[in-house]
Structure formats: structure tokens, C-alpha cells
Amino acid sequence: MAKKRVCVIGAGPCGMTALWNFAKLESDNQVDVVCYEKQKTWGGLWTYSWRTGTDGYGEPCHSGMYRHLWSNGPKECLEFPDYTFEKHFGKAIPSFPPRPVLRDYLEGRWTNNVNLKPYIRFSTVVRHVEYNERDKKFTVDITNLETDTSLKESFDYVIVATGIFNVPNIPDFPGLDTFEGRILHSHDFRDAKEFKDQRLLVVGSSYSAEDLALQCMKYGAKSAICTWRTKPMGFKWPKGIEERPLVQKFDGNIAHFKDGSSAEIDAVLLCTGYKYSFPFMEDNLRLRSTLTMFPDNTYKGLLYFMGEDSRLFYMGLQDQYYSYTMFDVEALWICKYILGKLPNEPRPLSEMKENSKEWYEKRSKLKTAHDDIDFQTAYIADLCKDTGYNPDVTKAGEMFHTWENDKDKNIATYRDQCFTSIFTGTRSPAHTAPWWQAKDDSIKAFVNKK
Ligand code: FAD
Ligand code: NA7
């Protein structure tokens, strides 16, 4: 029988773990897997680039990660059961690593006793995907960005793993046109030092707002006002950071807020999140959503409802507390589904829809971050049950609750806390300096590699 062809779009943490799981399931005799990645290398958002706007090929820059970004959650919550941080670095390391350390760890797993590079076509962008009901095949239009040549390929299954945090949501405010300082979205933020001695207005009240305000103060900004639309973050902020209701308009460099107050500012950082964007998917295959704990029109948050015989998957669509381990169990579910190794799948469409309805109902009751954590823990537990993935990963749920409480206690010191690995039982050591003072985010400084 001819091998089924599987197209994976994107070689970030999601796409890579799909390739890794196919390889571990020794599926080469059953499926022919090809991954298209528009960048020159793997890693997705974890690959830092100084570039903003367009990349070297003239394509939109993908990653909005910045210098001196440190993990915003404990590494013990994203550790792979089969490949621990201790195994990778040969020693225990602190709980909140900087970006290069996490990227190195990911790369370690992708190269440990496995060779995934042959599956990937780098510098190749997917421009269009459509489905032909008659032969049950996807046609995928790709362009090799090095040679500027295009091609159509045919596949039986498509896995979209292009991420949800790369197309910025950029609102407008009256008076910004004549504002004289710098205005940028967090996607274009690269180095906090640029804002030394400046008075900042940070729009938004989520992870990016929290981290950019802290980063900029850490690297010498004069002050930061975080302005919120729905509710304030409510942390006990270090001196210099405050929160105010939403900015209404700008008059020159004066920002006017909803509570009638005003302030003179030097730069505006729009930390206003991202848009789900899959422009390369044909209309009826395109998932549409805002940031959510469980995406609409999917079974298990993964299989897109195309009809009775769906062959399209999306990965990593959820607002992320869990990340790498969630992607890993999602990938295992998808791989086993395609290989026919999930005992209860495929189910009739009506059953799938009924199952999803239960998740949507639970989703509608979520109120706090702690509710979200429990919801995501239950989601992962469900996928573990289906796939046989190590259910101990869900022990991270308790750690996430502790982490939220640590943030509430002191937002400037939560990254100095130490957590215990679920899989080695080792409690992480403290870093040599508190996060607020630690300015060297190299692997050498963090891991103390010789
Ligand atoms: P991505 O990492 O975005 O990778 C998608 C890949 O698809 C990219 O390589 C891209 O080039 C490729 N691609 C896109 N379109 C196409 C196309 N048309 N054709 C071919 N290739 C394409 N998570 C944590 O766990 N801890 C953190 O501390 C953390 N910090 C974050 C900080 C920021 C600023 C942001 C934005 C996110 C952060 N995250 C963090 C969450 C992050 O979403 C995940 O860790 C992870 O990167 C998601 O992986 P992904 O594979 O879904 O997407
Ligand atoms: P999020 O988590 O989607 O948050 C976006 C924030 O922006 C949120 O507080 C929104 O307020 C706010 N927002 C969006 N539009 C507006 C307008 N028009 N006016 C005012 N405020 C607005 O994005 P983040 O970038 O913080 O985080 C995404 C990922 O990056 C995350 O996983 C991190 O790990 C890093 P709302 O609450 O909707 O009123």
C-alpha cells in the first residue's frame, strides 16, 4: 500500500515535536512526513533575531522574542519526561532559564538519538493549502525562498504548527499620529536598554505588558504606566511601575486616561497581544479564533472539523500555561491518530462534536488564572489517557498554582523561586544572582558551563 503523505507546517516547538513523535513511533514505513519551515533554522519563536518587520527574504519576521527574555514559568512545568534538564545539561540548573538555555534544551531533545533534519525543508514557506474532496488530498503550494521557485505538493494529512503569537494585534488611539516618541508593538521589542531613562506607557494587562514593564525598569527606564482595558494586573509593583485605566487619547506627549488623570510620556509600548492568523489556509479550512483555552471547531483542540473524515490538525492553539509538554502530548495524539494507533478513534463526527461541546461548556465557566490552570491540566490528562503519555506531566498543575501565588506575592522576585523536577526529584538550585540583578543571560552564565 502506498505510504500516506503528511505535511507539517512550521518547525517551532510544535512542528518539531510532531516530527520527533513520528520518528519515535518508527513510522517511516507507514508515512512519508515533510515539514516546511519558512526560516533558515528550527526553533520558531525561540530563535532570536535582531530583525523586525520583514526578514532577509522579505517575509514577515516571525519571532517577537527579545534580548534578556527569561522563562515566564518554571522550567519544571515544561520538562519532557524522557529528556530532563538535568540530562541535557549534566547538572541541575535554576528554575527560570533565559531564552538561549531553553532553546538549547529543545534542540537537545530534537537531536538526541534522532535525526529530524532530513524531514525539514528550510527556507520554504507554505503559501496555500486546499482540499479536494474527490481524491481526499490536500494540495499545498510552497515557495522555496532561496531560489524563489514555487511548487504544488499533494498530501493526505496536514498539521498546521505555525504558532499563535506572531501576527501582532495593533490598536489605534486618538492622537498617536502626532505623538513624538517611539511607538511599537511588543512583537518589535528587542532590547530594553533602548528605553533607558524614559517614561513609558505600556498598553495591555497580560504577560507581555507585565514583562516589558519589568524588563525596561530593570534596564534603566525612568517609569512605566501600564494601562488596562478590562482589568488591571494588580501586582505589587516595584517602585516606578503603576497601573491606570485605559488611555483615551494623546495630546502631544501627554497621555489622558479614563479616570481623568494624565501623564507625560516618552514612548508607547503596545502589549496588545496577537491575532490567530492562518492566511495560507483555504477559507473552509481556516481556523478562526481569539486567544482561548480550547479552540472552537476542533476535536480535542486538535482535529479541525472538516466533515466526517477530517484529516487536518492544528497544534498549540491554546493560551499557554503548559507549553512543551502540552505540545508533546498533542503531537503524540495526532501521530497515533494518523497511524491508526488510538483505540477509540476515529469516532463518528456527532460523537466528536458532543465531546467538544463538553469542553466548550467547561471553558465558558473559567474565571481566574487558577481555573485556567486546572482546565489545561484536565485537557492534558485527557490526552495522556488517550495516548499512554506519562500522566505525571500533569503534576505541573500544582506548581503552576504556586507560581501564580509567587507572582502575587512579589512580581519582581517570582523568578528567584526554586521548583522540584517531577521526573528526577531534584530541587533546582538558586541562580547566582536574583533575576532583578542578573543581566547576563548567556548559557555559560546561567548553567555555569566550562
Ligand atoms: P512558533 O514557536 O511560533 O513556531 C512556528 C513556526 O512556524 C516558526 O518557525 C515559523 O517560522 C513557521 N511558520 C509560520 N508560518 C509559516 C508558513 N506559512 N510556512 C512555513 N513555516 C511557517 N512559552 C513558554 O513555555 N515559556 C516562555 O517563557 C514563553 N515566552 C514567550 C514569550 C513571547 C514574547 C512569546 C510571543 C511567546 C512565549 N511563549 C513562551 C509561548 C510560545 O508560544 C511557545 O513556547 C512556542 O514557541 C509555541 O510553539 P509553536 O511551534 O506553536 O509556534
Ligand atoms: P495576550 O495575553 O493576548 O494579552 C493581550 C493584552 O492586550 C490583554 O491585556 C488585552 O486586554 C490587551 N488589549 C488587546 N487589545 C487592546 C486594546 N484595543 N486596547 C487595550 N488593551 C488591549 O498577549 P501577550 O502578548 O501579553 O501574551 C502572549 C504570549 O506572549 C504569552 O503566552 C506570553 O508567554 C508571551 P483585555 O484583557 O483583552 O482587555
Side-chain angles (χ1 to χ4, degrees), residues 182-325:
R182 178 121 147 84
I183 305 166
L184 78 165
H185 186 274
S186 55
H187 188 249
D188 292 336
F189 179 90
R190 290 291 177 271
D191 194 333
K193 289 192 216 94
E194 177 186 347
F195 301 100
K196 190 167 182 304
D197 296 328
Q198 296 197 13
R199 296 160 297 178
L200 307 177
L201 180 69
V202 178
V203 185
S205 54
S206 187
Y207 295 101
S208 297
E210 166 202 315
D211 205 47
L212 265 56
L214 288 170
Q215 282 280 346
C216 289
M217 292 303 289
K218 176 173 166 180
Y219 285 91
K222 197 182 253 173
S223 60
I225 300 174
C226 300
T227 179
W228 50 271
R229 178 172 65 177
T230 308
K231 64 177 175 46
M233 291 175 266
F235 297 117
K236 293 179 198 97
W237 295 102
K239 198 162 161 279
I241 306 181
E242 61 169 301
E243 294 192 75
R244 295 195 196 183
L246 193 59
V247 63
Q248 303 294 297
K249 62 170 184 171
F250 294 82
D251 233 334
N253 280 20
I254 310 284
H256 294 272
F257 300 91
K258 207 171 176 180
D259 60 1
S261 67
S262 60
E264 191 172 344
I265 51 163
D266 302 309
V268 179
L269 308 185
L270 296 167
C271 297
T272 42
Y274 293 85
K275 289 177 189 293
Y276 282 49
S277 178
F278 307 103
F280 49 88
M281 299 302 286
E282 136 178 79
D283 260 16
N284 58 340
L285 306 179
R286 189 178 311 147
L287 187 133
R288 295 170 176 88
S289 185
T290 50
L291 193 59
T292 179
M293 294 301 294
F294 194 99
D296 283 340
N297 209 40
T298 60
Y299 174 56
K300 302 272 173 177
L302 297 172
L303 182 68
Y304 185 78
F305 288 132
M306 290 168 60
E308 277 298 340
D309 184 18
S310 183
R311 289 141 182 260
L312 171 62
F313 305 85
Y314 282 84
M315 289 184 68
L317 288 173
Q318 302 81 353
D319 197 358
Q320 292 152 19
Y321 289 85
Y322 289 80
S323 55
Y324 304 164
T325 50

Side-chain angles (χ1 to χ4, degrees), residues 35-332:
C35 173
Y36 298 112
E37 168 52 58
K38 72 176 196 170
Q39 301 188 63
K40 284 183 181 158
T41 183
W42 55 27
L45 294 178
W46 294 92
T47 301
Y48 172 81
S49 167
W50 60 268
R51 291 176 187 275
T52 57
T54 45
D55 68 15
Y57 297 119
E59 296 291 318
C61 276
H62 185 79
S63 179
M65 283 206 182
Y66 39 90
R67 280 196 185 161
H68 314 303
L69 179 143
W70 293 50
S71 175
N72 58 11
K75 74 177 197 312
E76 287 75 12
C77 291
L78 48 74
E79 185 169 54
F80 297 110
D82 58 280
Y83 192 74
T84 62
F85 280 89
E86 215 168 318
K87 176 167 175 175
H88 178 71
F89 288 107
K91 63 193 282 195
I93 63 166
S95 282
F96 290 84
R99 186 200 54 78
V101 174
L102 286 177
R103 190 180 187 282
D104 196 65
Y105 170 66
L106 283 170
E107 203 160 46
R109 190 184 192 232
W110 301 337
T111 52
N112 181 46
N113 294 326
V114 63
N115 183 11
L116 301 177
K117 285 226 163 120
Y119 296 102
I120 311 172
R121 308 285 174 270
F122 289 108
S123 303
T124 304
V125 63
V126 170
R127 297 271 187 232
H128 188 68
V129 178
E130 62 186 39
Y131 185 68
N132 187 335
E133 190 60 57
R134 228 172 339 103
D135 61 2
K136 300 205 177 301
K137 300 251 189 236
F138 293 92
T139 302
V140 178
D141 294 13
I142 53 170
T143 298
N144 180 323
L145 298 167
E146 286 287 344
T147 58
D148 194 19
T149 47
S150 300
L151 202 67
K152 286 183 193 300
E153 287 275 350
S154 180
F155 289 96
D156 300 283
Y157 296 93
V158 169
I159 303 172
V160 181
T162 51
I164 55 169
F165 298 129
N166 52 78
V167 175
N169 171 47
I170 308 181
D172 193 14
F173 292 93
L176 269 186
D177 279 346
T178 50
F179 179 76
E180 285 181 359
R182 178 121 147 84
I183 305 166
L184 78 165
H185 186 274
S186 55
H187 188 249
D188 292 336
F189 179 90
R190 290 291 177 271
D191 194 333
K193 289 192 216 94
E194 177 186 347
F195 301 100
K196 190 167 182 304
D197 296 328
Q198 296 197 13
R199 296 160 297 178
L200 307 177
L201 180 69
V202 178
V203 185
S205 54
S206 187
Y207 295 101
S208 297
E210 166 202 315
D211 205 47
L212 265 56
L214 288 170
Q215 282 280 346
C216 289
M217 292 303 289
K218 176 173 166 180
Y219 285 91
K222 197 182 253 173
S223 60
I225 300 174
C226 300
T227 179
W228 50 271
R229 178 172 65 177
T230 308
K231 64 177 175 46
M233 291 175 266
F235 297 117
K236 293 179 198 97
W237 295 102
K239 198 162 161 279
I241 306 181
E242 61 169 301
E243 294 192 75
R244 295 195 196 183
L246 193 59
V247 63
Q248 303 294 297
K249 62 170 184 171
F250 294 82
D251 233 334
N253 280 20
I254 310 284
H256 294 272
F257 300 91
K258 207 171 176 180
D259 60 1
S261 67
S262 60
E264 191 172 344
I265 51 163
D266 302 309
V268 179
L269 308 185
L270 296 167
C271 297
T272 42
Y274 293 85
K275 289 177 189 293
Y276 282 49
S277 178
F278 307 103
F280 49 88
M281 299 302 286
E282 136 178 79
D283 260 16
N284 58 340
L285 306 179
R286 189 178 311 147
L287 187 133
R288 295 170 176 88
S289 185
T290 50
L291 193 59
T292 179
M293 294 301 294
F294 194 99
D296 283 340
N297 209 40
T298 60
Y299 174 56
K300 302 272 173 177
L302 297 172
L303 182 68
Y304 185 78
F305 288 132
M306 290 168 60
E308 277 298 340
D309 184 18
S310 183
R311 289 141 182 260
L312 171 62
F313 305 85
Y314 282 84
M315 289 184 68
L317 288 173
Q318 302 81 353
D319 197 358
Q320 292 152 19
Y321 289 85
Y322 289 80
S323 55
Y324 304 164
T325 50
M326 177 166 72
F327 307 152
D328 207 28
V329 68
E330 288 189 344
L332 182 61

Side-chain angles (χ1 to χ4, degrees), residues 393-408:
V393 288
T394 56
K395 290 182 179 163
E398 275 315 303
M399 288 195 262
F400 277 122
H401 288 302
T402 307
W403 161 78
E404 280 289 351
N405 294 335
D406 289 344
K407 289 177 75 175
D408 287 340

